[in-house]
Amino acid sequence: MIKNEKIKASEVYVTGIEGEDLGIMPTAEALKLAKQLKVDLVCTSLLSSPPPCQLIGAGAARQKQQQDAKRDRPAKLKEIRLTASIEDHDYETKQQQARRLLQSGHAVMLVVKTGNTKQSTAARKLLEDLLRDLKADGRPTTGIQVSGKQSMVQLDPLN
């Protein structure tokens, strides 16, 4: 985030504090206006000419920078472990846990532990049921993978 005297362009496209369009003006004039209003002139993008700048209060600029940093953070992969023979109440609990993680922006790896090959079909059915129930909150990035004594699938959040 480039602000105030660090903006090197000769003229900038300025947007006011309330979002009103102030038009294109020389950078020195825009800085003078920012000082009069006791706010910062913040450049929002360097890709266009003249660069768009916005008049933002000092606290709001810092808060916006923190929000942008938080939004750019990569999502963590959280693992939820289940067993093939799961009770209805436990299924609901794990489903709610996965939904909560997906809604908060995390990717979820659903892992079903199995004891033998007979349970692997039950594990596959359990994962298919979970995928159907969590369709509104996440989408699978991988298919259901069955390997040895476990079956798994990864869900990414929709937002």
Side-chain angles (χ1 to χ4, degrees):
M1 182 182 296
I2 300 172
K3 50 186 199 177
N4 297 333
E5 285 78 19
K6 293 182 182 177
I7 300 171
K8 299 295 182 197
S10 58
E11 58 182 18
V12 292
Y13 181 78
V14 183
T15 305
I17 298 171
E18 302 295 323
E20 66 274 9
D21 187 14
L22 300 177
I24 297 172
M25 60 177 72
T27 305
E29 189 180 321
L31 286 169
K32 191 185 300 181
L33 178 64
K35 284 185 177 156
Q36 285 175 355
L37 297 173
K38 294 186 170 110
V39 295
D40 289 325
L41 181 68
V42 178
C43 184
T44 55
S45 173
L46 295 173
L47 300 177
S48 60
S49 180
C53 294
Q54 188 171 8
L55 296 173
I56 300 177
R62 204 173 306 115
Q63 184 179 12
K64 183 176 180 186
Q65 187 175 15
Q66 289 172 346
Q67 285 175 345
D68 289 344
K70 191 181 284 186
R71 197 176 310 122
D72 293 341
R73 210 172 35 190
K76 290 186 179 179
L77 178 64
K78 303 287 188 166
E79 185 175 301
I80 297 178
R81 295 182 181 177
L82 307 117
T83 58
S85 55
I86 189 169
E87 302 274 329
D88 288 341
H89 178 267
D90 294 334
Y91 175 85
E92 295 293 326
T93 302
K94 295 292 185 176
Q95 178 186 344
Q96 287 174 359
Q97 183 182 10
R99 180 170 284 124
R100 200 168 41 249
L101 288 169
L102 287 167
Q103 288 173 349
S104 65
H106 297 290
V108 176
M109 176 74 76
L110 299 169
V111 179
V112 180
K113 300 288 185 180
T114 57
N116 54 32
T117 55
K118 290 180 183 176
Q119 287 184 333
S120 66
T121 56
R124 186 176 201 67
K125 183 184 178 326
L126 176 66
L127 287 175
E128 288 170 352
D129 291 345
L130 275 169
L131 285 176
R132 186 186 64 244
D133 293 340
L134 295 171
K135 185 183 274 186
D137 300 302
R139 66 178 173 281
T141 55
T142 61
I144 296 175
Q145 301 168 346
V146 180
S147 61
K149 294 187 174 187
Q150 70 180 13
S151 300
M152 61 184 137
V153 65
Q154 180 177 338
L155 290 170
D156 279 352
L158 290 177
N159 50 5

PDB file of all heavy atoms in Angstrom, residues 73-106:
ATOM      1  N   ARG A  73      -4.127 -14.459   3.176  1.00  0.00           N
ATOM      2  CA  ARG A  73      -3.537 -15.595   3.855  1.00  0.00           C
ATOM      3  C   ARG A  73      -4.073 -16.898   3.249  1.00  0.00           C
ATOM      4  O   ARG A  73      -5.268 -17.026   3.002  1.00  0.00           O
ATOM      5  CB  ARG A  73      -3.918 -15.525   5.339  1.00  0.00           C
ATOM      6  CG  ARG A  73      -2.910 -16.122   6.257  1.00  0.00           C
ATOM      7  CD  ARG A  73      -3.255 -15.857   7.683  1.00  0.00           C
ATOM      8  NE  ARG A  73      -4.682 -15.853   7.937  1.00  0.00           N
ATOM      9  CZ  ARG A  73      -5.225 -15.454   9.054  1.00  0.00           C
ATOM     10  NH1 ARG A  73      -4.482 -15.017  10.014  1.00  0.00           N
ATOM     11  NH2 ARG A  73      -6.524 -15.488   9.231  1.00  0.00           N
ATOM     12  N   PRO A  74      -3.201 -17.873   3.001  1.00  0.00           N
ATOM     13  CA  PRO A  74      -3.696 -19.124   2.422  1.00  0.00           C
ATOM     14  C   PRO A  74      -4.534 -19.915   3.432  1.00  0.00           C
ATOM     15  O   PRO A  74      -4.292 -19.861   4.636  1.00  0.00           O
ATOM     16  CB  PRO A  74      -2.419 -19.883   2.065  1.00  0.00           C
ATOM     17  CG  PRO A  74      -1.373 -19.319   2.961  1.00  0.00           C
ATOM     18  CD  PRO A  74      -1.766 -17.883   3.202  1.00  0.00           C
ATOM     19  N   ALA A  75      -5.511 -20.638   2.914  1.00  0.00           N
ATOM     20  CA  ALA A  75      -6.371 -21.446   3.773  1.00  0.00           C
ATOM     21  C   ALA A  75      -5.588 -22.641   4.291  1.00  0.00           C
ATOM     22  O   ALA A  75      -4.761 -23.221   3.586  1.00  0.00           O
ATOM     23  CB  ALA A  75      -7.592 -21.920   2.992  1.00  0.00           C
ATOM     24  N   LYS A  76      -5.847 -23.025   5.525  1.00  0.00           N
ATOM     25  CA  LYS A  76      -5.180 -24.180   6.107  1.00  0.00           C
ATOM     26  C   LYS A  76      -5.993 -25.425   5.798  1.00  0.00           C
ATOM     27  O   LYS A  76      -7.206 -25.374   5.647  1.00  0.00           O
ATOM     28  CB  LYS A  76      -5.047 -24.010   7.614  1.00  0.00           C
ATOM     29  CG  LYS A  76      -4.057 -22.956   8.010  1.00  0.00           C
ATOM     30  CD  LYS A  76      -3.865 -22.943   9.498  1.00  0.00           C
ATOM     31  CE  LYS A  76      -2.841 -21.896   9.881  1.00  0.00           C
ATOM     32  NZ  LYS A  76      -2.644 -21.839  11.318  1.00  0.00           N
ATOM     33  N   LEU A  77      -5.309 -26.549   5.710  1.00  0.00           N
ATOM     34  CA  LEU A  77      -5.969 -27.827   5.496  1.00  0.00           C
ATOM     35  C   LEU A  77      -6.188 -28.465   6.860  1.00  0.00           C
ATOM     36  O   LEU A  77      -5.231 -28.740   7.588  1.00  0.00           O
ATOM     37  CB  LEU A  77      -5.113 -28.729   4.603  1.00  0.00           C
ATOM     38  CG  LEU A  77      -5.666 -30.110   4.341  1.00  0.00           C
ATOM     39  CD1 LEU A  77      -6.979 -30.027   3.576  1.00  0.00           C
ATOM     40  CD2 LEU A  77      -4.669 -30.943   3.566  1.00  0.00           C
ATOM     41  N   LYS A  78      -7.446 -28.671   7.218  1.00  0.00           N
ATOM     42  CA  LYS A  78      -7.801 -29.282   8.486  1.00  0.00           C
ATOM     43  C   LYS A  78      -8.265 -30.711   8.222  1.00  0.00           C
ATOM     44  O   LYS A  78      -8.978 -30.964   7.254  1.00  0.00           O
ATOM     45  CB  LYS A  78      -8.941 -28.503   9.169  1.00  0.00           C
ATOM     46  CG  LYS A  78      -8.632 -27.053   9.412  1.00  0.00           C
ATOM     47  CD  LYS A  78      -7.639 -26.888  10.517  1.00  0.00           C
ATOM     48  CE  LYS A  78      -7.490 -25.417  10.867  1.00  0.00           C
ATOM     49  NZ  LYS A  78      -6.807 -25.215  12.110  1.00  0.00           N
ATOM     50  N   GLU A  79      -7.874 -31.627   9.071  1.00  0.00           N
ATOM     51  CA  GLU A  79      -8.239 -33.028   8.896  1.00  0.00           C
ATOM     52  C   GLU A  79      -9.291 -33.430   9.920  1.00  0.00           C
ATOM     53  O   GLU A  79      -9.165 -33.123  11.103  1.00  0.00           O
ATOM     54  CB  GLU A  79      -6.992 -33.902   9.056  1.00  0.00           C
ATOM     55  CG  GLU A  79      -7.249 -35.359   8.780  1.00  0.00           C
ATOM     56  CD  GLU A  79      -5.973 -36.178   8.817  1.00  0.00           C
ATOM     57  OE1 GLU A  79      -5.056 -35.888   8.037  1.00  0.00           O
ATOM     58  OE2 GLU A  79      -5.909 -37.114   9.647  1.00  0.00           O
ATOM     59  N   ILE A  80     -10.323 -34.106   9.439  1.00  0.00           N
ATOM     60  CA  ILE A  80     -11.357 -34.648  10.319  1.00  0.00           C
ATOM     61  C   ILE A  80     -11.345 -36.156  10.144  1.00  0.00           C
ATOM     62  O   ILE A  80     -11.511 -36.660   9.029  1.00  0.00           O
ATOM     63  CB  ILE A  80     -12.748 -34.071   9.991  1.00  0.00           C
ATOM     64  CG1 ILE A  80     -12.751 -32.566  10.239  1.00  0.00           C
ATOM     65  CG2 ILE A  80     -13.819 -34.760  10.818  1.00  0.00           C
ATOM     66  CD1 ILE A  80     -14.055 -31.888   9.915  1.00  0.00           C
ATOM     67  N   ARG A  81     -11.139 -36.868  11.237  1.00  0.00           N
ATOM     68  CA  ARG A  81     -11.049 -38.325  11.184  1.00  0.00           C
ATOM     69  C   ARG A  81     -12.355 -38.949  11.648  1.00  0.00           C
ATOM     70  O   ARG A  81     -12.960 -38.507  12.615  1.00  0.00           O
ATOM     71  CB  ARG A  81      -9.909 -38.822  12.063  1.00  0.00           C
ATOM     72  CG  ARG A  81      -8.569 -38.372  11.553  1.00  0.00           C
ATOM     73  CD  ARG A  81      -7.464 -38.921  12.396  1.00  0.00           C
ATOM     74  NE  ARG A  81      -6.180 -38.447  11.890  1.00  0.00           N
ATOM     75  CZ  ARG A  81      -5.038 -38.717  12.465  1.00  0.00           C
ATOM     76  NH1 ARG A  81      -4.998 -39.444  13.561  1.00  0.00           N
ATOM     77  NH2 ARG A  81      -3.926 -38.255  11.948  1.00  0.00           N
ATOM     78  N   LEU A  82     -12.760 -39.985  10.932  1.00  0.00           N
ATOM     79  CA  LEU A  82     -13.990 -40.710  11.253  1.00  0.00           C
ATOM     80  C   LEU A  82     -13.696 -42.209  11.179  1.00  0.00           C
ATOM     81  O   LEU A  82     -12.652 -42.623  10.682  1.00  0.00           O
ATOM     82  CB  LEU A  82     -15.082 -40.379  10.218  1.00  0.00           C
ATOM     83  CG  LEU A  82     -15.386 -38.927   9.958  1.00  0.00           C
ATOM     84  CD1 LEU A  82     -15.060 -38.576   8.538  1.00  0.00           C
ATOM     85  CD2 LEU A  82     -16.830 -38.675  10.228  1.00  0.00           C
ATOM     86  N   THR A  83     -14.658 -43.005  11.639  1.00  0.00           N
ATOM     87  CA  THR A  83     -14.582 -44.455  11.435  1.00  0.00           C
ATOM     88  C   THR A  83     -15.756 -44.874  10.569  1.00  0.00           C
ATOM     89  O   THR A  83     -16.757 -44.172  10.486  1.00  0.00           O
ATOM     90  CB  THR A  83     -14.643 -45.222  12.780  1.00  0.00           C
ATOM     91  OG1 THR A  83     -15.855 -44.868  13.443  1.00  0.00           O
ATOM     92  CG2 THR A  83     -13.459 -44.878  13.661  1.00  0.00           C
ATOM     93  N   ALA A  84     -15.613 -46.020   9.925  1.00  0.00           N
ATOM     94  CA  ALA A  84     -16.650 -46.481   9.000  1.00  0.00           C
ATOM     95  C   ALA A  84     -17.954 -46.806   9.724  1.00  0.00           C
ATOM     96  O   ALA A  84     -19.041 -46.607   9.185  1.00  0.00           O
ATOM     97  CB  ALA A  84     -16.161 -47.695   8.225  1.00  0.00           C
ATOM     98  N   SER A  85     -17.864 -47.292  10.949  1.00  0.00           N
ATOM     99  CA  SER A  85     -19.077 -47.606  11.723  1.00  0.00           C
ATOM    100  C   SER A  85     -19.321 -46.472  12.715  1.00  0.00           C
ATOM    101  O   SER A  85     -18.931 -46.547  13.868  1.00  0.00           O
ATOM    102  CB  SER A  85     -18.912 -48.941  12.450  1.00  0.00           C
ATOM    103  OG  SER A  85     -17.749 -48.893  13.251  1.00  0.00           O
ATOM    104  N   ILE A  86     -19.978 -45.418  12.234  1.00  0.00           N
ATOM    105  CA  ILE A  86     -20.173 -44.206  13.037  1.00  0.00           C
ATOM    106  C   ILE A  86     -21.644 -44.085  13.417  1.00  0.00           C
ATOM    107  O   ILE A  86     -22.532 -44.431  12.637  1.00  0.00           O
ATOM    108  CB  ILE A  86     -19.686 -42.958  12.260  1.00  0.00           C
ATOM    109  CG1 ILE A  86     -19.658 -41.720  13.141  1.00  0.00           C
ATOM    110  CG2 ILE A  86     -20.506 -42.727  11.019  1.00  0.00           C
ATOM    111  CD1 ILE A  86     -18.944 -40.538  12.509  1.00  0.00           C
ATOM    112  N   GLU A  87     -21.881 -43.627  14.619  1.00  0.00           N
ATOM    113  CA  GLU A  87     -23.248 -43.418  15.101  1.00  0.00           C
ATOM    114  C   GLU A  87     -23.831 -42.155  14.448  1.00  0.00           C
ATOM    115  O   GLU A  87     -23.104 -41.287  14.000  1.00  0.00           O
ATOM    116  CB  GLU A  87     -23.235 -43.228  16.618  1.00  0.00           C
ATOM    117  CG  GLU A  87     -22.639 -44.382  17.392  1.00  0.00           C
ATOM    118  CD  GLU A  87     -23.647 -45.472  17.689  1.00  0.00           C
ATOM    119  OE1 GLU A  87     -24.830 -45.144  17.836  1.00  0.00           O
ATOM    120  OE2 GLU A  87     -23.233 -46.644  17.757  1.00  0.00           O
ATOM    121  N   ASP A  88     -25.155 -42.045  14.429  1.00  0.00           N
ATOM    122  CA  ASP A  88     -25.822 -40.903  13.813  1.00  0.00           C
ATOM    123  C   ASP A  88     -25.428 -39.581  14.472  1.00  0.00           C
ATOM    124  O   ASP A  88     -25.165 -38.587  13.800  1.00  0.00           O
ATOM    125  CB  ASP A  88     -27.346 -41.060  13.873  1.00  0.00           C
ATOM    126  CG  ASP A  88     -27.833 -42.133  12.919  1.00  0.00           C
ATOM    127  OD1 ASP A  88     -27.084 -42.479  11.983  1.00  0.00           O
ATOM    128  OD2 ASP A  88     -28.961 -42.623  13.119  1.00  0.00           O
ATOM    129  N   HIS A  89     -25.394 -39.576  15.795  1.00  0.00           N
ATOM    130  CA  HIS A  89     -25.051 -38.345  16.524  1.00  0.00           C
ATOM    131  C   HIS A  89     -23.614 -37.919  16.216  1.00  0.00           C
ATOM    132  O   HIS A  89     -23.330 -36.726  16.015  1.00  0.00           O
ATOM    133  CB  HIS A  89     -25.237 -38.549  18.030  1.00  0.00           C
ATOM    134  CG  HIS A  89     -24.844 -37.335  18.820  1.00  0.00           C
ATOM    135  ND1 HIS A  89     -23.581 -37.169  19.332  1.00  0.00           N
ATOM    136  CD2 HIS A  89     -25.537 -36.222  19.150  1.00  0.00           C
ATOM    137  CE1 HIS A  89     -23.518 -35.997  19.964  1.00  0.00           C
ATOM    138  NE2 HIS A  89     -24.696 -35.408  19.864  1.00  0.00           N
ATOM    139  N   ASP A  90     -22.695 -38.877  16.173  1.00  0.00           N
ATOM    140  CA  ASP A  90     -21.302 -38.557  15.872  1.00  0.00           C
ATOM    141  C   ASP A  90     -21.166 -38.048  14.432  1.00  0.00           C
ATOM    142  O   ASP A  90     -20.374 -37.147  14.153  1.00  0.00           O
ATOM    143  CB  ASP A  90     -20.410 -39.782  16.082  1.00  0.00           C
ATOM    144  CG  ASP A  90     -20.361 -40.197  17.544  1.00  0.00           C
ATOM    145  OD1 ASP A  90     -20.563 -39.335  18.414  1.00  0.00           O
ATOM    146  OD2 ASP A  90     -20.128 -41.390  17.817  1.00  0.00           O
ATOM    147  N   TYR A  91     -21.944 -38.625  13.534  1.00  0.00           N
ATOM    148  CA  TYR A  91     -21.951 -38.177  12.144  1.00  0.00           C
ATOM    149  C   TYR A  91     -22.378 -36.711  12.073  1.00  0.00           C
ATOM    150  O   TYR A  91     -21.741 -35.904  11.389  1.00  0.00           O
ATOM    151  CB  TYR A  91     -22.893 -39.055  11.310  1.00  0.00           C
ATOM    152  CG  TYR A  91     -23.062 -38.593   9.885  1.00  0.00           C
ATOM    153  CD1 TYR A  91     -22.150 -38.975   8.910  1.00  0.00           C
ATOM    154  CD2 TYR A  91     -24.119 -37.768   9.521  1.00  0.00           C
ATOM    155  CE1 TYR A  91     -22.299 -38.558   7.598  1.00  0.00           C
ATOM    156  CE2 TYR A  91     -24.275 -37.340   8.216  1.00  0.00           C
ATOM    157  CZ  TYR A  91     -23.364 -37.738   7.262  1.00  0.00           C
ATOM    158  OH  TYR A  91     -23.518 -37.317   5.966  1.00  0.00           O
ATOM    159  N   GLU A  92     -23.450 -36.362  12.786  1.00  0.00           N
ATOM    160  CA  GLU A  92     -23.935 -34.978  12.802  1.00  0.00           C
ATOM    161  C   GLU A  92     -22.870 -34.031  13.364  1.00  0.00           C
ATOM    162  O   GLU A  92     -22.666 -32.929  12.847  1.00  0.00           O
ATOM    163  CB  GLU A  92     -25.217 -34.858  13.633  1.00  0.00           C
ATOM    164  CG  GLU A  92     -26.399 -35.605  13.064  1.00  0.00           C
ATOM    165  CD  GLU A  92     -26.892 -35.020  11.756  1.00  0.00           C
ATOM    166  OE1 GLU A  92     -26.832 -33.792  11.586  1.00  0.00           O
ATOM    167  OE2 GLU A  92     -27.304 -35.809  10.890  1.00  0.00           O
ATOM    168  N   THR A  93     -22.192 -34.471  14.418  1.00  0.00           N
ATOM    169  CA  THR A  93     -21.152 -33.651  15.046  1.00  0.00           C
ATOM    170  C   THR A  93     -20.004 -33.389  14.069  1.00  0.00           C
ATOM    171  O   THR A  93     -19.551 -32.252  13.914  1.00  0.00           O
ATOM    172  CB  THR A  93     -20.616 -34.335  16.315  1.00  0.00           C
ATOM    173  OG1 THR A  93     -21.702 -34.558  17.208  1.00  0.00           O
ATOM    174  CG2 THR A  93     -19.557 -33.492  16.997  1.00  0.00           C
ATOM    175  N   LYS A  94     -19.533 -34.429  13.393  1.00  0.00           N
ATOM    176  CA  LYS A  94     -18.436 -34.285  12.432  1.00  0.00           C
ATOM    177  C   LYS A  94     -18.864 -33.434  11.235  1.00  0.00           C
ATOM    178  O   LYS A  94     -18.083 -32.640  10.710  1.00  0.00           O
ATOM    179  CB  LYS A  94     -17.947 -35.657  11.943  1.00  0.00           C
ATOM    180  CG  LYS A  94     -17.330 -36.506  13.023  1.00  0.00           C
ATOM    181  CD  LYS A  94     -16.024 -35.924  13.509  1.00  0.00           C
ATOM    182  CE  LYS A  94     -15.364 -36.855  14.499  1.00  0.00           C
ATOM    183  NZ  LYS A  94     -14.046 -36.373  14.927  1.00  0.00           N
ATOM    184  N   GLN A  95     -20.104 -33.586  10.824  1.00  0.00           N
ATOM    185  CA  GLN A  95     -20.634 -32.795   9.716  1.00  0.00           C
ATOM    186  C   GLN A  95     -20.661 -31.311  10.094  1.00  0.00           C
ATOM    187  O   GLN A  95     -20.255 -30.453   9.307  1.00  0.00           O
ATOM    188  CB  GLN A  95     -22.032 -33.283   9.352  1.00  0.00           C
ATOM    189  CG  GLN A  95     -22.694 -32.507   8.253  1.00  0.00           C
ATOM    190  CD  GLN A  95     -24.133 -32.942   8.040  1.00  0.00           C
ATOM    191  OE1 GLN A  95     -24.543 -33.995   8.500  1.00  0.00           O
ATOM    192  NE2 GLN A  95     -24.892 -32.112   7.358  1.00  0.00           N
ATOM    193  N   GLN A  96     -21.122 -31.005  11.301  1.00  0.00           N
ATOM    194  CA  GLN A  96     -21.156 -29.608  11.758  1.00  0.00           C
ATOM    195  C   GLN A  96     -19.742 -29.043  11.883  1.00  0.00           C
ATOM    196  O   GLN A  96     -19.496 -27.879  11.550  1.00  0.00           O
ATOM    197  CB  GLN A  96     -21.870 -29.514  13.104  1.00  0.00           C
ATOM    198  CG  GLN A  96     -23.364 -29.709  13.005  1.00  0.00           C
ATOM    199  CD  GLN A  96     -24.025 -29.764  14.380  1.00  0.00           C
ATOM    200  OE1 GLN A  96     -23.361 -29.675  15.404  1.00  0.00           O
ATOM    201  NE2 GLN A  96     -25.344 -29.920  14.379  1.00  0.00           N
ATOM    202  N   GLN A  97     -18.810 -29.870  12.346  1.00  0.00           N
ATOM    203  CA  GLN A  97     -17.429 -29.436  12.484  1.00  0.00           C
ATOM    204  C   GLN A  97     -16.844 -29.101  11.101  1.00  0.00           C
ATOM    205  O   GLN A  97     -16.203 -28.062  10.928  1.00  0.00           O
ATOM    206  CB  GLN A  97     -16.610 -30.539  13.155  1.00  0.00           C
ATOM    207  CG  GLN A  97     -15.170 -30.192  13.411  1.00  0.00           C
ATOM    208  CD  GLN A  97     -14.410 -31.346  14.039  1.00  0.00           C
ATOM    209  OE1 GLN A  97     -14.903 -32.468  14.125  1.00  0.00           O
ATOM    210  NE2 GLN A  97     -13.197 -31.072  14.481  1.00  0.00           N
ATOM    211  N   ALA A  98     -17.088 -29.968  10.123  1.00  0.00           N
ATOM    212  CA  ALA A  98     -16.600 -29.722   8.765  1.00  0.00           C
ATOM    213  C   ALA A  98     -17.252 -28.476   8.178  1.00  0.00           C
ATOM    214  O   ALA A  98     -16.580 -27.651   7.543  1.00  0.00           O
ATOM    215  CB  ALA A  98     -16.878 -30.938   7.881  1.00  0.00           C
ATOM    216  N   ARG A  99     -18.537 -28.294   8.389  1.00  0.00           N
ATOM    217  CA  ARG A  99     -19.259 -27.129   7.869  1.00  0.00           C
ATOM    218  C   ARG A  99     -18.680 -25.842   8.463  1.00  0.00           C
ATOM    219  O   ARG A  99     -18.465 -24.859   7.754  1.00  0.00           O
ATOM    220  CB  ARG A  99     -20.746 -27.250   8.182  1.00  0.00           C
ATOM    221  CG  ARG A  99     -21.565 -26.074   7.675  1.00  0.00           C
ATOM    222  CD  ARG A  99     -23.053 -26.307   7.776  1.00  0.00           C
ATOM    223  NE  ARG A  99     -23.444 -27.225   6.693  1.00  0.00           N
ATOM    224  CZ  ARG A  99     -24.075 -28.383   6.866  1.00  0.00           C
ATOM    225  NH1 ARG A  99     -24.425 -28.765   8.068  1.00  0.00           N
ATOM    226  NH2 ARG A  99     -24.373 -29.149   5.850  1.00  0.00           N
ATOM    227  N   ARG A 100     -18.426 -25.854   9.764  1.00  0.00           N
ATOM    228  CA  ARG A 100     -17.875 -24.675  10.439  1.00  0.00           C
ATOM    229  C   ARG A 100     -16.480 -24.327   9.881  1.00  0.00           C
ATOM    230  O   ARG A 100     -16.174 -23.164   9.639  1.00  0.00           O
ATOM    231  CB  ARG A 100     -17.803 -24.946  11.941  1.00  0.00           C
ATOM    232  CG  ARG A 100     -17.705 -23.735  12.799  1.00  0.00           C
ATOM    233  CD  ARG A 100     -17.915 -23.995  14.278  1.00  0.00           C
ATOM    234  NE  ARG A 100     -17.295 -25.201  14.798  1.00  0.00           N
ATOM    235  CZ  ARG A 100     -17.969 -26.279  15.215  1.00  0.00           C
ATOM    236  NH1 ARG A 100     -19.270 -26.293  15.193  1.00  0.00           N
ATOM    237  NH2 ARG A 100     -17.339 -27.329  15.676  1.00  0.00           N
ATOM    238  N   LEU A 101     -15.653 -25.343   9.656  1.00  0.00           N
ATOM    239  CA  LEU A 101     -14.318 -25.101   9.106  1.00  0.00           C
ATOM    240  C   LEU A 101     -14.388 -24.566   7.681  1.00  0.00           C
ATOM    241  O   LEU A 101     -13.659 -23.638   7.320  1.00  0.00           O
ATOM    242  CB  LEU A 101     -13.492 -26.394   9.135  1.00  0.00           C
ATOM    243  CG  LEU A 101     -13.021 -26.849  10.517  1.00  0.00           C
ATOM    244  CD1 LEU A 101     -12.458 -28.253  10.459  1.00  0.00           C
ATOM    245  CD2 LEU A 101     -12.000 -25.887  11.075  1.00  0.00           C
ATOM    246  N   LEU A 102     -15.272 -25.134   6.867  1.00  0.00           N
ATOM    247  CA  LEU A 102     -15.421 -24.674   5.481  1.00  0.00           C
ATOM    248  C   LEU A 102     -15.925 -23.238   5.435  1.00  0.00           C
ATOM    249  O   LEU A 102     -15.459 -22.429   4.628  1.00  0.00           O
ATOM    250  CB  LEU A 102     -16.367 -25.598   4.707  1.00  0.00           C
ATOM    251  CG  LEU A 102     -15.803 -26.972   4.353  1.00  0.00           C
ATOM    252  CD1 LEU A 102     -16.915 -27.889   3.875  1.00  0.00           C
ATOM    253  CD2 LEU A 102     -14.710 -26.857   3.315  1.00  0.00           C
ATOM    254  N   GLN A 103     -16.871 -22.897   6.308  1.00  0.00           N
ATOM    255  CA  GLN A 103     -17.420 -21.539   6.326  1.00  0.00           C
ATOM    256  C   GLN A 103     -16.405 -20.512   6.799  1.00  0.00           C
ATOM    257  O   GLN A 103     -16.487 -19.346   6.444  1.00  0.00           O
ATOM    258  CB  GLN A 103     -18.684 -21.487   7.178  1.00  0.00           C
ATOM    259  CG  GLN A 103     -19.858 -22.174   6.524  1.00  0.00           C
ATOM    260  CD  GLN A 103     -21.075 -22.271   7.432  1.00  0.00           C
ATOM    261  OE1 GLN A 103     -21.007 -22.001   8.627  1.00  0.00           O
ATOM    262  NE2 GLN A 103     -22.193 -22.684   6.850  1.00  0.00           N
ATOM    263  N   SER A 104     -15.425 -20.951   7.600  1.00  0.00           N
ATOM    264  CA  SER A 104     -14.392 -20.019   8.049  1.00  0.00           C
ATOM    265  C   SER A 104     -13.229 -19.951   7.061  1.00  0.00           C
ATOM    266  O   SER A 104     -12.238 -19.271   7.313  1.00  0.00           O
ATOM    267  CB  SER A 104     -13.894 -20.395   9.446  1.00  0.00           C
ATOM    268  OG  SER A 104     -13.236 -21.643   9.415  1.00  0.00           O
ATOM    269  N   GLY A 105     -13.344 -20.662   5.920  1.00  0.00           N
ATOM    270  CA  GLY A 105     -12.349 -20.523   4.868  1.00  0.00           C
ATOM    271  C   GLY A 105     -11.260 -21.577   4.837  1.00  0.00           C
ATOM    272  O   GLY A 105     -10.308 -21.453   4.075  1.00  0.00           O
ATOM    273  N   HIS A 106     -11.357 -22.613   5.636  1.00  0.00           N
ATOM    274  CA  HIS A 106     -10.340 -23.664   5.660  1.00  0.00           C
ATOM    275  C   HIS A 106     -10.731 -24.810   4.734  1.00  0.00           C
ATOM    276  O   HIS A 106     -11.900 -25.104   4.552  1.00  0.00           O
ATOM    277  CB  HIS A 106     -10.167 -24.226   7.074  1.00  0.00           C
ATOM    278  CG  HIS A 106      -9.679 -23.218   8.057  1.00  0.00           C
ATOM    279  ND1 HIS A 106      -8.406 -22.702   8.030  1.00  0.00           N
ATOM    280  CD2 HIS A 106     -10.295 -22.602   9.088  1.00  0.00           C
ATOM    281  CE1 HIS A 106      -8.255 -21.829   9.009  1.00  0.00           C
ATOM    282  NE2 HIS A 106      -9.399 -21.742   9.665  1.00  0.00           N
TER     283      HIS A 106
END
